[in-house]
Amino acid sequence: MSRILIIEDEAAIRRVLIKIISEENDTYNVEEASDGLEGIEKIKNNEYDLVFCDIKMPKMDGVEVLEKAKKIKPEIPIVMISGHGDIETAVNTMRLGAFDYISKPPDLNRLLNTVRNALEKKTLVLENKRLKKKVSKNYEMIGESAAISHIKDIIEKVAATDARVLITGPNGTGKELVAHWLHEKSDRHKAALIEVNCAAIPSELIESELFGHVKGSFTGANKDRAGKFEAANHGTIFLDEIGDMSLSAQAKVLRALQENKIARVGSDKDIKVNVRVIAATNKNLQEEITQGRFREDLYHRLAVILIKVPALNDRRDDIPLLVNFFASKICEEQGIPEKIFSEEAISLLQDYNWTGNIRELRNVVERLLILGEKTVSANDVKLFASK
């Protein structure tokens, strides 16, 4: 059922439009408003698939209705209704976001074509939004435990914003997964997600890696080189293991967050960047601050939103889902005939002490698929899953 709103002060025109549209398709639910103020109230409080709006009306004219409606529900197609003297204004409303305009008295075929095209556009817009929300299968977040459900809820609320996020938790719990979800469900998903493992880069090179350098700025700098912040412009940068970053690099990251600009090593020229920052660490940054190894001002810049990823031992109820997910994925990737895990095997895996968290579980599942029988049994787990 498609809901259509007609905002028109002339009752005769409203009746004509309602009759034509309603008779065209009995799935069209047509409502009416006699002036702009009433129309805006209806748009605020209801979900419409299409709005027709007259240009010249008392209380609030159609141009103002269009501007307000686009702020309230930007995805709704709005078709302007124009009298003979309003054509120029109607054309101008297209620049303000109107879908189309029709003249009075309405031509039957043009009106119905406009209705069909506008409703089709609305469907495409909603489908596009749905696809944007989908996350790559490579980064699915598997689990239904309270802790994982809480993380998913936070991501749904935060992803569409540019709020900085600090992800904490032990190694192997899936902090990178959370970062990918945040990026792929954001409006920046078409731009790059640049990952930087701060623990894997020598301290003397981290600034060059993040901010780039100019030729001759240090030994081995044979040419100008852009850094990760520039590569992530208009996208997201994921600073993994940020607790291992040097204090001097922390100071530069702080400046980038405060001023949205960076300078390459060896240059005093500022480069503007528009980057969303997501950081992760397995360290207790409050303790690092106390020990003088992490800047408190940087912590507060990064930790606008905190997401704590639990250890696998704290979400054992998710292990059956994770085992089945990894088994299906690994069999497909490696061309292994599909295998299943017996209930007893999964029960044993749930009792296991997962010090390596999800990363360890995946490795054990892969080992069992390769070495175990067609149905992986409790005996297979005892033989091959031990450390």
Side-chain angles (χ1 to χ4, degrees):
M1 182 72 72
S2 298
R3 292 185 73 182
I4 300 171
L5 176 65
I6 297 170
I7 309 172
E8 164 65 64
D9 63 313
E10 293 184 49
I13 297 293
R14 289 203 306 274
R15 284 196 298 271
V16 169
L17 291 172
I18 291 170
K19 186 174 188 297
I20 293 173
I21 295 170
S22 299
E23 290 180 355
E24 164 66 10
N25 192 320
D26 58 12
T27 66
Y28 293 162
N29 179 19
V30 187
E31 300 176 30
E32 57 184 300
S34 59
D35 59 61
L37 285 176
E38 184 186 355
I40 285 296
E41 281 303 308
K42 289 201 168 191
I43 290 169
K44 281 181 183 176
N45 299 316
N46 299 280
E47 294 298 326
Y48 293 106
D49 299 294
L50 172 60
V51 172
F52 284 90
C53 182
D54 190 17
I55 290 177
K56 286 188 176 179
M57 293 184 293
K59 298 183 182 178
M60 183 186 293
D61 69 28
V63 176
E64 190 175 355
V65 171
L66 173 65
E67 291 175 329
K68 287 182 180 293
K70 280 296 175 184
K71 289 178 182 176
I72 299 166
K73 303 278 178 70
E75 71 279 2
I76 302 178
I78 300 178
V79 177
M80 306 307 293
I81 305 169
S82 61
H84 179 70
D86 302 327
I87 297 296
E88 186 177 346
T89 303
V91 172
N92 288 333
T93 61
M94 303 283 284
R95 299 191 186 96
L96 295 173
F99 176 78
D100 201 350
Y101 67 90
I102 59 170
S103 301
K104 298 178 184 179
D107 175 78
L108 176 65
N109 289 329
R110 174 157 169 70
L111 173 63
L112 294 178
N113 280 334
T114 300
V115 170
R116 286 190 286 266
N117 292 339
L119 291 176
E120 185 177 326
K121 182 196 176 186
K122 174 75 182 302
T123 301
L124 290 173
V125 167
L126 292 176
E127 177 66 10
N128 190 40
K129 280 192 169 185
R130 186 187 68 80
L131 290 173
K132 283 182 180 179
K133 292 284 185 183
K134 291 182 74 174
V135 178
S136 165
K137 284 189 176 182
N138 292 326
Y139 296 101
E140 287 188 69
M141 189 174 292
I142 306 301
E144 296 174 355
S145 62
I148 294 303
S149 296
H150 178 62
I151 290 172
K152 289 178 180 179
D153 287 343
I154 293 175
I155 290 172
E156 288 296 331
K157 292 175 182 176
V158 172
T161 74
D162 279 339
R164 299 182 195 109
V165 181
L166 178 62
I167 308 164
T168 63
N171 284 333
T173 52
K175 297 188 293 295
E176 178 189 0
L177 189 71
V178 174
H180 276 268
W181 263 57
L182 284 163
H183 175 72
E184 292 198 28
K185 293 170 83 68
S186 76
D187 293 335
R188 295 174 178 262
H189 72 283
K190 289 183 179 179
L193 169 64
I194 303 296
E195 300 180 53
V196 182
N197 187 334
C198 302
I201 303 169
S203 58
E204 63 272 14
L205 295 178
I206 186 71
E207 291 180 40
S208 170
E209 189 74 16
L210 291 174
F211 309 112
H213 59 253
V214 297
K215 182 179 179 180
S217 56
F218 56 85
T219 303
N222 300 319
K223 60 181 180 179
D224 290 358
R225 181 176 177 273
K228 301 295 189 184
F229 267 84
E230 286 179 73
N233 199 25
H234 300 295
T236 305
I237 190 165
F238 175 44
L239 302 175
D240 198 9
E241 303 303 348
I242 197 167
D244 293 276
M245 183 181 287
S246 67
L247 286 168
S248 61
Q250 289 176 37
K252 288 197 172 184
V253 169
L254 179 64
R255 178 177 182 257
L257 300 185
Q258 289 173 328
E259 302 178 14
N260 293 320
K261 56 188 178 184
I262 55 114
R264 293 181 180 180
V265 175
S267 171
D268 57 5
K269 181 183 177 182
D270 287 332
I271 301 170
K272 286 192 172 184
V273 288
N274 176 3
V275 177
R276 184 188 193 173
V277 177
I278 299 172
T281 183
N282 63 352
K283 292 185 175 181
N284 184 329
L285 291 187
Q286 298 289 1
E287 288 184 7
E288 296 295 301
I289 291 167
T290 302
Q291 297 296 323
R293 292 191 290 262
F294 201 85
R295 295 181 62 118
E296 186 173 10
D297 47 4
L298 177 58
Y299 173 82
H300 291 302
R301 287 280 178 178
L302 292 170
V304 176
I305 303 294
L306 278 167
I307 296 179
K308 184 177 181 181
V309 185
L312 184 55
N313 287 340
D314 295 329
R315 46 176 294 215
R316 294 180 184 275
D317 289 349
D318 288 332
I319 288 176
L321 292 172
L322 288 162
V323 168
N324 290 329
F325 173 77
F326 288 141
S328 176
K329 190 174 177 63
I330 291 166
C331 287
E332 183 181 348
E333 287 174 352
Q334 300 202 11
I336 300 171
E338 194 165 326
K339 295 184 179 182
I340 61 172
F341 283 69
S342 71
E343 289 184 13
E344 294 80 7
I346 289 178
S347 181
L348 275 179
L349 292 173
Q350 283 183 288
D351 292 336
Y352 198 88
N353 181 25
W354 296 102
T355 55
N357 294 295
I358 292 175
R359 192 176 295 149
E360 182 185 8
L361 174 64
R362 191 191 192 286
N363 290 343
V364 167
V365 169
E366 186 171 0
R367 188 188 312 150
L368 290 168
L369 289 171
I370 294 169
L371 300 177
E373 300 300 324
K374 186 172 182 180
T375 296
V376 178
S377 66
N379 191 51
D380 291 328
V381 173
K382 292 172 185 177
L383 283 172
F384 305 123
S386 60
K387 293 184 178 181

